[in-house]
Amino acid sequence: MVLKVLKFGGTSVTNGSREIIDIISENKDNKLIIILSAFSDITNILHCYDKLSIKILIKRLKYIHNNFIEKYIKHPVQLHRQLNVLYDNLGHIIYYHEKSRQLDCIVNSYGEKCSVIIYNYFLKENDYKNLVIWSEYLICTEDNYSDSFPYMISTKMCIRAFLKPQLKKHDIVLTTGFIGSNKNGCTTNLSRNGSDLSATVIGSCLKPEQIIIYKDVDGIMTCDPRKVPFAKLINTVNYKTISELCYFGSHVLHSQCLIPFKLRSIPLLIKNIFNKNSLGTLILEDYKSKSTVDALTSITDHAMLTIKGMGMNGFSGLLLNILKVIAEYNINIPFITQASSEQNICLCIQAKYANIVQIRLIETFENEIDTSQIDSIDIDDNIAIITVIGENMIHRYGIAGIIFETLGKEHINIIAISQGSCERSISFIVDKKDEIKALLLLHTIIL
């Protein structure tokens, strides 16, 4: 028997129960670790725990769960008892604890716990014996309660102690996605899309034959199909290219999910649970793409900060001080470029942080602004960052020329350009109104 790790997201858990049974049936000769997300909308409801009464909150949770139970569970008495214990515990925790980040994590973990309990009964009613192990016992994380990242050495030890022995006795193990615990045993959350990370972390510690993440999309596309209707499925891609894609706006998979794979060489398959005919996207460590350009991505929820000034030339430590201000808010910078004259620095951050960062930069460089070393610190939130990604662009001359010539002919102005030293990607900024037109043109010409 071979080992596989299967992860099912919220849409799959809510609407794909029959498909999940079919998938388990197809893998009846394999050992399976199944990682489950919360039912759709459950996490959003739990995030509002401080705005709803406990009674209303639990009523909403029960409504979603009971819709599933009434459809698929023939003998639900014992299941309801177990769920009621979880609901009572949840209410007790909210009522008796002051609001804190730790409380947020404990409360948010209950969505996944309810899913696993429900599916434990659902699988048993379909004659699939299974064991439940909470992921708090498997995944050890940093001490920060939200958006934690696993400590892989400690996690490997926990998986060796709690999970490996059970795989010898049980063919199917269910566990919760999204949840871990710190060194003190306190519940932590990986992130809002941490269930995928749970799958890759557990998989990297066990080295299964394959990890399969089931979504409600066919896989990774050459562009967002909502923006480019004729976008194509990428059948196979390597770790480095998919990492670039994730970083620059592909929402199918988060780039953090790939970190545990370093040096492990485990195939990762992304499949559509509702489309059996789709082969999905297979992610392999050493796959060599034959295409010059593999995909296009775009980001529209960012703003561009531009710091200008003739006196910036030779200003020692300027960029360092700018980055320090941004680091105060733990903000990611997907795009940064500086003119060689040092008279212009532009960078992009999420638009929701732009105003506060602008204010802090003005405060930080008050003296430089008064003495006209810095002329202005401006925000432009009417932008789109478009990125062209391709492993073989490094071997092909003139790709940048084709991109800019194509856009220039259609009078699409490029505001700023940035290219990584790995030459796998070229990013540039255009006006937001030109985003779709630019994507359609480039996809037609270079893909």
Side-chain angles (χ1 to χ4, degrees), residues 252-272:
V252 176
L253 192 68
H254 195 282
S255 57
Q256 276 194 339
C257 299
L258 302 170
I259 296 172
F261 277 102
K262 287 182 179 178
L263 306 177
R264 300 300 289 170
S265 300
I266 304 168
L268 172 63
L269 179 62
I270 299 173
K271 287 204 72 174
N272 189 342

Side-chain angles (χ1 to χ4, degrees), residues 27 75 100 182 188 218 238 241 268 272 292 294 325 341 347 390 408:
N27 287 278
H75 307 290
S100 66
N182 63 18
T188 56
D218 286 344
N238 63 40
T241 301
L268 172 63
N272 189 342
T292 302
D294 294 308
V325 169
S341 64
L347 52 87

Side-chain angles (χ1 to χ4, degrees), residues 405-429:
E405 182 182 4
T406 299
L407 299 180
K409 284 180 179 178
E410 295 298 324
H411 308 290
I412 296 174
N413 184 44
I414 296 173
I415 300 167
I417 303 165
S418 178
Q419 181 171 13
S421 58
C422 69
E423 297 189 50
R424 272 194 183 83
S425 63
I426 300 172
S427 295
F428 53 90
I429 295 173

